[in-house]
Amino acid sequence: MDNNGDQPVPRVAVVVFLLKGRSVLLGRRRSAVGNSTFALPGGHLEFGESFEECAAREMKEETGLEIGKAAELLTVTNNVMLEQPKKCHYVTVFMRVVVDAAADQVPQNLEPEKCDGWDWYDWDHLPHPLFGPLHKMVSSGFHPFPL
Ligand code: 8DG
Ligand code: MG
């Protein structure tokens, strides 16, 4: 495996737009990166993982929800965050999963040390502040909904 020693390197993150009707699942972060901002579930791509596997693992670990292989790739953004208490650079892979609005999918806050809790937010009334990488997308006019 490549190892860059002590040099800072970009990392890959996989995050998920979990959509129910016009709502998206967000949680307020407790972290040295984007603390107190609203963000998607997700985390670091592990060695050997596919994007879909990472999305499913992170969803399960953070919310308890099972998405199987349903995640589809939406887009990728480059996020250099040198202003954060913990400087970082992420290539962020955004996935989408549409859940059945009728199904009772209740997310649990399984990592309360990292998140204040998960909730559904109407896309037209998103909470503030959004986490930087998400804010950048939303303000550019991006939306995650199927046409
Ligand atoms: P892990 O060690 O359990 O894999 O990771 P984690 O503790 O869940 O990491 P994370 O901070 O939730 O996600 C990793 C990085 O992904 C985060 O520091 C920056 C990047 N990232 C974005 N946008 C988003 C987003 O909307 N949500 C999350 N969770 N991470 C995001 O660029
Ligand atoms: Mg996370």
Side-chain angles (χ1 to χ4, degrees):
M1 196 187 328
D2 283 346
N3 186 329
N4 237 31
D6 288 337
Q7 291 285 31
V9 291
R11 299 189 73 186
V12 179
V14 175
V15 303
V16 181
F17 283 102
L18 191 69
L19 305 177
K20 185 162 75 168
R22 291 292 294 176
S23 297
V24 58
L25 191 75
L26 298 172
R28 200 194 277 265
R29 288 171 68 76
R30 300 171 67 93
S31 168
V33 179
N35 194 39
S36 284
T37 63
F38 289 88
L40 303 165
H44 301 96
L45 185 69
E46 293 186 353
F47 190 80
E49 244 179 357
S50 69
F51 296 157
E52 293 77 9
E53 287 165 349
C54 182
R57 178 181 54 73
E58 289 288 347
M59 284 299 302
K60 177 92 176 126
E61 287 175 3
E62 297 187 351
T63 73
L65 299 179
E66 308 260 9
I67 60 170
K69 294 178 178 171
E72 47 181 330
L73 176 63
L74 280 185
T75 191
V76 177
T77 65
N78 187 42
N79 299 292
V80 179
M81 295 183 274
L82 304 180
E83 77 293 353
Q84 294 288 335
K86 184 178 172 197
K87 290 183 179 52
C88 59
H89 177 180
Y90 283 96
V91 172
T92 310
V93 177
F94 291 83
M95 309 292 283
R96 166 173 69 204
V97 175
V98 179
V99 301
D100 180 356
D104 222 1
Q105 299 257 29
V106 181
Q108 300 164 260
N109 191 18
L110 296 183
E111 293 183 341
E113 70 287 1
K114 291 185 182 178
C115 177
D116 281 346
W118 300 109
D119 239 316
W120 299 100
Y121 294 90
D122 190 291
W123 187 257
D124 295 324
H125 300 94
L126 291 173
H128 294 283
L130 289 176
F131 186 26
L134 188 56
H135 174 78
K136 197 168 67 177
M137 293 171 84
V138 173
S139 56
S140 77
F142 174 89
H143 78 75
F145 298 95
L147 290 177

